[in-house]
Amino acid sequence: MKGMLIKDFKLLATQKRTIGLFGMIGLMLIVTNMDPGFVLAYLTFLCCNLALSTISYDNIDNGNAFLFTLPLSRRGYVSEKYLFSIGIGTAAWFVSGAMCLLIGLIQKTGMDVSEFVVYAPVYLLLAFLMAAFMIPIQLKFGAERARTILVGMVGGLFLVVVLTGRAIKKLGLDVEKLFHAFGGLGIGTILFVICILVIGLTAVSWRISCRIMEKKEF
C-alpha cells in the first residue's frame, strides 16, 4: 500500500497547474468576500475529486493488469484509494480553512470566526461522504459513466427534496419547529451523529468496493 500511496502522490504532483488554478480561484473568491463556508467546501470537494481521478489513470492502457502483478492485494488497492482521497481532502480542508480565516481577519470582513470553526467540520465530513459514494461507482463503471450517474443522482435528490417540500405543505407540518428540535440537541451532538453516520457509510462503501474489485478481471 505504501508504494501505491507514493505512486498516487507522484501522479498528483504532475497536476501542479490544476492544483495551482484551484488555489487561485479559491483565493479570488475569498478576496471578493465570497461566503467562507462555500470556499472551504468548494476547494475541499475539488481536491478530493482530483484525488479520485487517480482511479481513472490506473485504468489507462490496462494499467491495473500491471499493478496487480506487484505485491498488492485488491483490498489493499481499495483501502489505499480511500486513504488517499481522505488524506488529500483533509489537507485541502486545512489549507483552505486557514486561507479563509487569515484573509478574513486581514480584510476585517466581519466574519464570524467561531461559527466558521464550528461548521467547518461538516464540509469535511461531506467530502468524505462524496468520496465514499464515488469510489465504488468509479471502480464499477469508470469515470465517465460515474459522472453521468452522479448527475442523475443529484437530479433525483433535487426531485425528492421538491416533492418532500410539497408533501410537507399539504400535510401542514411545522418545519421550523422540527429544525428547532434538532438545534436543541447542540452542535456537538449533531456533529457526533453526522460523524458516526459518515464512518458507517464509508465502511459499507469500502466493503462494496472490495467486492467489486474481487470480481473484476484484468
Side-chain angles (χ1 to χ4, degrees), residues 69-81:
T69 61
L70 303 173
L72 174 71
S73 68
R74 299 195 179 207
R75 287 197 173 199
Y77 176 87
V78 170
S79 299
E80 187 273 339
K81 292 304 174 187

Side-chain angles (χ1 to χ4, degrees), residues 1 4-5 8 48 51-52 54-55 74-90 127-139 198-213:
M1 190 187 297
M4 278 291 297
L5 283 169
D8 282 347
C48 199
L52 293 177
T54 58
I55 297 174
R74 299 195 179 207
R75 287 197 173 199
Y77 176 87
V78 170
S79 299
E80 187 273 339
K81 292 304 174 187
Y82 280 85
L83 287 173
F84 185 68
S85 59
I86 288 171
I88 295 299
T90 303
F128 292 169
L129 196 59
M130 182 203 73
F133 175 75
M134 288 299 297
I135 289 174
I137 293 177
Q138 278 199 231
L139 291 173
V198 170
I199 291 171
L201 290 173
T202 301
V204 172
S205 170
W206 177 83
R207 185 69 178 172
I208 292 170
S209 297
C210 287
R211 287 185 179 180
I212 291 170
M213 287 302 295

Side-chain angles (χ1 to χ4, degrees), residues 28-177:
M28 182 182 67
L29 291 173
I30 298 169
V31 171
T32 54
N33 294 327
M34 179 64 73
D35 177 34
F38 170 80
V39 177
L40 180 62
Y42 175 75
L43 292 176
T44 304
F45 275 74
L46 275 181
C47 291
C48 199
N49 191 56
L50 192 63
L52 293 177
S53 69
T54 58
I55 297 174
S56 302
Y57 283 105
D58 290 342
N59 289 321
I60 294 174
D61 296 327
N62 204 23
N64 277 320
F66 169 74
L67 282 175
F68 290 112
T69 61
L70 303 173
L72 174 71
S73 68
R74 299 195 179 207
R75 287 197 173 199
Y77 176 87
V78 170
S79 299
E80 187 273 339
K81 292 304 174 187
Y82 280 85
L83 287 173
F84 185 68
S85 59
I86 288 171
I88 295 299
T90 303
W93 178 78
F94 270 115
V95 173
S96 54
M99 282 171 54
C100 289
L101 287 171
L102 184 62
I103 295 175
L105 292 172
I106 291 172
Q107 289 188 326
K108 297 180 180 179
T109 56
M111 183 176 93
D112 191 335
V113 175
S114 59
E115 183 179 339
F116 177 78
V117 170
V118 167
Y119 288 103
V122 175
Y123 302 118
L124 182 62
L125 291 171
L126 289 175
F128 292 169
L129 196 59
M130 182 203 73
F133 175 75
M134 288 299 297
I135 289 174
I137 293 177
Q138 278 199 231
L139 291 173
K140 179 70 175 177
F141 301 106
E144 294 302 322
R145 290 179 68 184
R147 290 191 191 100
T148 304
I149 292 170
L150 180 61
V151 170
M153 290 292 292
V154 170
L157 181 61
F158 177 76
L159 184 62
V160 168
V161 170
V162 171
L163 293 176
T164 303
R166 289 182 179 179
I168 287 171
K169 283 183 180 179
K170 285 185 178 180
L171 293 172
L173 298 174
D174 194 335
V175 181
E176 190 175 343
K177 284 184 179 179

